[in-house]
Amino acid sequence: MAGRKYGLDLGTMNIRIFQGGHGLVVYEKNMIAIQRKKEVAAIGNDAFEMYERTPASIVISNPVRDGVIADINNMNKVAETLLKKCGCTTGFMRNNSFYLAVPSDVTEVEKRAYFDLIAHSAYNTHNIFVVEKPLAAALGENVDVKSKKGMMIVDMGAGTTEITVITMGGIVVSKLLKVGGNTINASICQLVKERHHLVIGDKTAEYLKLELGHAIPGQGRSKTVFGRDVITGLPSKAEVSDHLVFDSMKNYLFQVVRTIRNIMETIPPELSGDIIENGIYFTGGTTLIPELDRLFNASLRVKVVFAPKPLESTVRGLGVIMDHASDYKDLTFSLRDAAFE
């Protein structure tokens, strides 16, 4: 019996699954709740609902950290559960194919973990392929990655930011920064504690980022949030301004700008010319911060192009590769390739 094709984008905060012929079929939080150290209490969005509200007997974690699989056993449980949701079956007669997006700037051992995730699961298949994430993200935005013209793509995710220069279907240089949207959240928590003497959780920090986050300071907005008073230990509240949120994110944003500049200085002049002509492509959830295009355009003095659906670029790129497997065969690596043996 012919198998189906599945594309998996395993992000730090979200997992997206693309099924050949059906499109995006799963979009959930990449989280797992473990009860009494061994029992699965919840997975995906259900685990996220429990986050920061659990008793001591339940531990909630993200199997992916810093862009790579940090806990392959829990990642296997999450992947199997969510694949079942979209009708993916196991068994000897069902020879499914799996395409997984992997950061470019990671070690071969870390890349191998993506193969092992499926190879050691209940899915009986050797059709396991990895695709370098920047190439998939570019394809998801209808960029011709096989063009002789160079292009730069910046993927600003929750746990990492990857800046990559691509030409002729290959990667010239890629830099993975272990900072992202979660870095901003942690900074918001720290500044609220320092300036308002209030302890807040990650969910509240995410709310402040979404409501008040702005790449250009001085909007004059604020939100009331609740937490625990540092001094009394009692529940309390504070009025948090958008200036605080901007202060929380500016170091991260300027680090991205510096890294892009450094890469532009090291690549061949011809590629730099291509990037100036074509612009820099931005994707990833953190690019949803308002006015980010103005900030990067002014700081880099290069045209910037932002993905209309930045959270789906990579997984849709996997869909392109699955639907046109013969055209993009040279962009995939299989378990049998020497680079991963």
Side-chain angles (χ1 to χ4, degrees), residues 67-81:
V68 296
I69 299 174
D71 188 333
I72 195 165
N73 290 329
N74 281 343
M75 188 67 255
N76 185 282
K77 294 171 184 175
V78 172
E80 284 194 7
T81 299

Side-chain angles (χ1 to χ4, degrees), residues 94-299:
R94 177 65 71 178
N95 197 22
N96 296 315
S97 299
F98 297 88
Y99 293 74
L100 300 99
V102 181
S104 177
D105 187 24
V106 296
T107 67
E108 300 302 329
V109 173
E110 290 167 333
K111 288 181 181 180
R112 179 71 188 224
Y114 286 80
F115 284 113
D116 293 342
L117 174 68
I118 300 299
H120 297 165
S121 69
Y123 300 99
N124 183 45
T125 182
H126 293 291
N127 299 326
I128 308 167
F129 307 92
V130 299
V131 181
E132 291 182 294
K133 197 169 185 178
L135 295 172
L139 282 171
E141 295 307 316
N142 298 316
V143 174
D144 182 9
V145 298
K146 292 190 174 184
S147 170
K148 293 179 181 179
K149 294 280 189 178
M151 58 86 64
M152 176 181 284
I153 184 161
V154 181
D155 188 347
M156 301 172 67
T160 61
T161 298
E162 190 165 20
I163 304 165
T164 310
V165 176
I166 298 169
T167 186
M168 293 182 283
I171 291 177
V172 179
V173 61
S174 185
K175 178 66 176 178
L176 186 71
L177 305 177
K178 295 183 178 181
V179 290
N182 290 348
T183 307
I184 297 174
N185 293 351
S187 182
I188 291 173
C189 290
Q190 183 62 32
L191 283 186
V192 169
K193 183 178 180 180
E194 291 176 1
R195 299 183 185 179
H196 296 285
H197 309 291
L198 189 74
V199 177
I200 62 172
D202 287 342
K203 282 187 175 180
T204 302
E206 178 74 10
Y207 165 77
L208 288 172
K209 182 179 68 178
L210 294 176
E211 293 294 320
L212 300 177
H214 214 273
I216 306 297
Q219 303 302 308
R221 296 176 297 137
S222 63
K223 291 289 181 181
T224 300
V225 295
F226 297 86
R228 186 180 72 249
D229 188 280
V230 173
I231 299 173
T232 66
L234 298 175
S236 184
K237 63 180 180 179
E239 190 80 7
V240 178
S241 70
D242 59 358
H243 288 283
L244 182 147
V245 177
F246 177 76
D247 288 344
S248 302
M249 66 173 60
K250 64 182 182 182
N251 287 339
Y252 162 66
L253 297 179
F254 294 152
Q255 183 180 358
V256 174
V257 169
R258 287 195 303 271
T259 306
I260 292 174
R261 285 176 173 171
N262 290 339
I263 290 176
M264 291 284 283
E265 290 172 359
T266 59
I267 60 176
E270 290 78 7
L271 288 178
S272 294
D274 293 340
I275 292 169
I276 292 171
E277 179 183 352
N278 299 324
I280 300 175
Y281 292 81
F282 286 83
T283 186
T286 307
T287 61
L288 294 172
I289 296 172
E291 302 288 355
L292 204 56
D293 55 342
R294 285 181 58 193
L295 173 68
F296 285 141
N297 186 273
S299 302

Side-chain angles (χ1 to χ4, degrees), residues 8-17 26-33 42-49 51 60-80 82 101 114 117 133 158 182:
L8 282 75
D9 177 17
L10 311 178
T12 302
M13 284 302 299
N14 299 293
I15 178 170
R16 289 157 285 255
I17 301 177
V26 170
Y27 186 168
E28 293 207 25
K29 293 296 181 182
N30 194 358
M31 304 185 83
I32 184 169
I43 277 172
N45 291 341
D46 293 336
F48 182 71
E49 288 296 319
Y51 184 53
I60 298 178
S61 63
N62 299 90
V64 172
R65 289 191 292 274
D66 295 334
V68 296
I69 299 174
D71 188 333
I72 195 165
N73 290 329
N74 281 343
M75 188 67 255
N76 185 282
K77 294 171 184 175
V78 172
E80 284 194 7
L82 297 182
Y114 286 80
L117 174 68
K133 197 169 185 178
N182 290 348

